């Protein structure tokens, strides 16, 4: 593989962040390049992350023993502003995964015309095996180790898989204790009591459905007549399922890590979400009804399949058996390159992650702006501003896809890459 002006590096010596997910992100970038019309020098710059940090996080467990978790933060590009991206706690977190997700964040922020670059971080641990005290210890120590590279004008973390408002509150407190005063603008996705924004918890899921709604309108489909399946029933999938049901769509199946639940006549999404909130991730298996595996769920006959769990769920292996007419990527990177090609061939519309799940970072941007200005916008105001931003990005992507005969993913990537490349060209190379 050719990587960023580092052509001298022998093929057999992969760079540290190269892994299958990073290679997917890079291949998507390469596939978009012929349409993006940017210089080779700028393309080389964007193939690699700007800065990567690996830390070791020592933590005292409740049983008195000590353990050490690996932690990561990758900043892909700071040309448009501070970097922005989530922090995830998961046994599979790696430098390569963070680098891939950071690159996608760069295109996403640029596509939405937010003044940010992309970042991503995480701790390799099993969050479900940790107590609240242990999670707090991991978070505070990780934040302390990130201090040299994060800041309200440098890099602003947010929640991602298995992290939440509480995690952000601990991060904000740890950072503020070092600064000597409250710095709410250091993270987004915080509790409202310390400068969080109303509507941030619902923003990603609501944004997913705003994009689905707009796509349906363009395709002449009535959303209220669509049968939907949602994989992942957390912050993104749970809210998206609720918003779909609210618009009259029939949600016939949802799943979490424990498996899925199916009712061809439509599920009571509100009751299911209340159950998931009360009993935590992985509790759908206990809910009464017809159960199925995540693999079976992905292949159910339906109109719209929302992928809101994690990456690499639809691959060359199972894509031929997917029966949906439209796939909405609430998660980052849920569709492999092979699956993408199969869906294009089968005329299945794929609403790409960097557009479809951008509601979260967009309202995170609103939160940061409110914090910096010590302002408080209300829910309707934020929902309207989000709908404007998502609608504007969707229309630009749709128009480009039609004009240049691109897939929506290619059009979204080209649009995002263009914004970043223009900024790099304008700023030039220092020194
Ligand atoms: P979450 O932890 O709240 O929810 C994840 C859901 O997926 C849970 O229901 C979990 O049980 C389920 N899940 C986990 N592993 C699974 C597996 N192997 N098979 C099936 N289901 C599984 O996380 P979230 O914030 O909802 O994030 C979901 C995805 O959306 C991630 O890819 C994340 O990067 C992306 N995303 C999140 C946001 C946000 O604002 N939270 C924004 C943009 C993108």
């Amino acid at each position: 593989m050719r990587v960023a002006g580092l052509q001298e590096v022998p093929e057999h010596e992969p760079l540290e962040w190269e892994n299958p997910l990073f290679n997917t992100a890079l291949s998507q970038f390469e596939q978009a390049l012929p349409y993006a019309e940017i210089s080779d020098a700028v393309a080389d710059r964007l193939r690699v992350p700007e800065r990567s940090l690996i830390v070791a996080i020592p933590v005292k467990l409740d049983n008195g023993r000590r353990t050490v978790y690996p932690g990561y933060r990758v900043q892909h590009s700071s040309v448009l502003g501070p970097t922005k991206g989530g922090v995830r706690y998961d046994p599979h977190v790696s430098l390569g995964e963070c680098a891939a997700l950071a690159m996608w964040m760069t295109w996403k922020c640029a596509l939405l015309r937010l003044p940010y670059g992309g970042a991503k971080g995480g701790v390799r641990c099993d969050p479900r095996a940790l107590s609240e005290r242990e999670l707090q210890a991991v978070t505070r120590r990780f934040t302390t180790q990130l201090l040299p590279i994060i800041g309200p004008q440098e890099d602003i973390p947010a929640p991602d898989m298995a992290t939440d408002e509480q995690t952000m509150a601990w991060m904000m407190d740890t950072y503020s204790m070092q600064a000597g005063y409250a710095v709410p603008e250091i993270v987004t996705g915080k509790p409202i009591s310390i400068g969080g924004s109303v509507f941030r918890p619902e923003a990603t899921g609501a944004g997913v459905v705003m994009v689905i709604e707009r796509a349906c309108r363009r395709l002449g489909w009535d959303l209220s007549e669509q049968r939907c399946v949602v994989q992942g029933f957390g912050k993104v999938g749970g809210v998206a399922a609720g918003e779909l049901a609210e618009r009259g769509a029939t949600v016939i199946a949802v799943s979490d890590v424990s498996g899925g639940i199916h009712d061809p006549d439509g599920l009571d999404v509100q009751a299911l979400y209340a159950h998931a909130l009360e009993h935590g991730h992985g509790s759908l298996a206990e809910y009464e009804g017809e159960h199925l595996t995540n693999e079976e769920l992905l292949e159910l006959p339906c109109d719209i399949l929302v992928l809101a769990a994690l990456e690499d769920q639809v691959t060359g292996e199972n894509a031929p058996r997917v029966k949906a007419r439209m796939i909405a990527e609430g998660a980052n990177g849920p569709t492999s390159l092979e699956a993408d090609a199969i869906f294009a061939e089968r005329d299945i519309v794929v609403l790409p992650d960097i557009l479809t799940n951008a509601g979260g970072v967009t309202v995170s941007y609103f939160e940061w702006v409110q914090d910096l200005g010590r302002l408080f916008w209300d829910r309707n105001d934020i929902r309207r501003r989000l709908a404007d931003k998502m609608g504007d990005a969707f229309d630009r992507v749709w128009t480009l896809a039609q004009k240049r005969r691109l897939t929506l993913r290619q059009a979204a990537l080209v649009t995002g890459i263009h914004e970043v490349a223009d900024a790099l060209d304008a700023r030039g190379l220092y020194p």
Side-chain angles (χ1 to χ4, degrees), residues 2-17:
R2 177 165 177 262
V3 182
L6 297 171
Q7 293 95 326
E8 316 82 67
V9 175
E11 288 276 332
H12 59 274
E13 278 182 36
L15 288 157
E16 285 71 8
W17 51 78

Side-chain angles (χ1 to χ4, degrees), residues 28-41:
Q28 288 180 353
F29 175 70
E30 302 296 352
Q31 287 178 6
L33 269 188
Y35 309 98
E37 293 155 9
I38 64 173
S39 72
D40 286 349

Side-chain angles (χ1 to χ4, degrees), residues 133-168:
R133 193 207 62 79
E134 290 166 336
L135 284 170
Q136 178 168 180
V138 168
T139 304
R140 289 188 181 278
R141 184 65 189 239
F142 183 45
T143 308
T144 309
Q145 286 166 301
L146 292 181
L147 286 176
I149 64 162
I150 60 171
Q153 299 299 335
E154 287 176 273
D155 183 7
I156 306 144
D160 192 75
M161 278 165 66
T163 57
D164 57 16
E165 288 191 353
Q166 181 59 72
T167 322
M168 293 305 111

